[in-house]
Amino acid sequence: LTGPVHGPGRPKLIEDFLAAFPGTRHVAFDGWSGESALTAQEKCYGNRVLPRCRWDRTEYILLLNADPLGSGRSQTEWQVAYGRQRKVRNGKFLKLVSFEPCLTLTGSNADERYRIRAGEAAQIGLAIARELLNLDGSDTAEIRRTDVKVALAKFPTSDIETACELPKGTIK
């Protein structure tokens, strides 16, 4: 049992191993085949391609139980691009905020890291969406979709911060 087989050396090594142990077989397991991302991309946007993170175009990253620097299909590419964006340019640099139940490589590099319990990421994400849509009374937001308002009304910022034991003002 191996992970994905890349490069010219590993197939030869596997072939030699199988020859040395007759009756054995090789099974390759790819824990992240990309199939779910391809399907989601197709359902949302109509094209079956893997999305590409454009770290070079970002100034702020909010992660909810995610570790793009420590896992995933393009972690080396993402690590290099993240490192480039962390350099100060024009008085700005990338800010990284992470909400996660376990410390990850990405979380350990975050400017702000909040430890949450497993399963709280969705609630926090919905409370953040509520804040972004300004549903707490500001007249500047024009939300036309009543179903979005109703769904997000169940996630008041202060209630979620209390339930997840986050410092007041974390989500704002």
Side-chain angles (χ1 to χ4, degrees), residues 127-145:
I128 290 169
R130 180 186 169 101
E131 282 299 312
L132 291 172
L133 294 173
N134 245 338
L135 292 181
D136 286 331
S138 174
D139 293 335
T140 60
E142 288 187 36
I143 306 299
R144 291 184 173 89
R145 296 201 40 139

Side-chain angles (χ1 to χ4, degrees), residues 10-23:
R10 191 174 286 183
K12 176 66 174 140
L13 183 64
I14 292 169
E15 181 183 316
D16 291 348
F17 180 85
L18 295 175
F21 297 96

Side-chain angles (χ1 to χ4, degrees), residues 36-162:
S36 59
L38 288 167
T39 302
Q41 182 77 8
E42 185 175 36
K43 284 182 178 182
C44 292
Y45 304 107
N47 54 357
R48 193 170 174 77
V49 297
L50 287 173
R52 182 167 178 242
C53 288
R54 294 303 311 254
W55 296 85
D56 58 322
R57 294 182 182 178
T58 188
E59 294 177 9
Y60 190 96
I61 297 174
L62 172 69
L63 297 172
L64 300 170
N65 200 16
D67 185 22
L69 301 180
S71 62
R73 63 182 161 75
S74 297
Q75 71 187 48
T76 303
E77 174 190 0
W78 295 344
Q79 290 168 358
V80 170
Y82 171 79
R84 285 188 184 133
Q85 282 301 95
R86 291 295 283 183
K87 293 185 170 115
V88 177
R89 293 189 180 120
N90 300 324
K92 295 181 183 178
F93 77 103
L94 172 71
K95 181 171 182 173
L96 174 63
V97 177
S98 179
F99 291 84
E100 58 187 11
C102 303
L103 183 62
T104 63
L105 177 63
T106 309
S108 68
N109 284 282
D111 298 300
E112 295 177 29
R113 179 185 176 269
Y114 299 96
R115 190 178 62 166
I116 61 173
R117 288 183 289 273
E120 291 180 339
Q123 291 176 343
I124 292 167
L126 291 166
I128 290 169
R130 180 186 169 101
E131 282 299 312
L132 291 172
L133 294 173
N134 245 338
L135 292 181
D136 286 331
S138 174
D139 293 335
T140 60
E142 288 187 36
I143 306 299
R144 291 184 173 89
R145 296 201 40 139
T146 306
D147 53 339
V148 173
K149 281 184 179 180
V150 170
L152 293 179
K154 300 172 188 169
F155 299 94
T157 304
S158 59
D159 292 357
I160 299 302
E161 287 174 339
T162 300

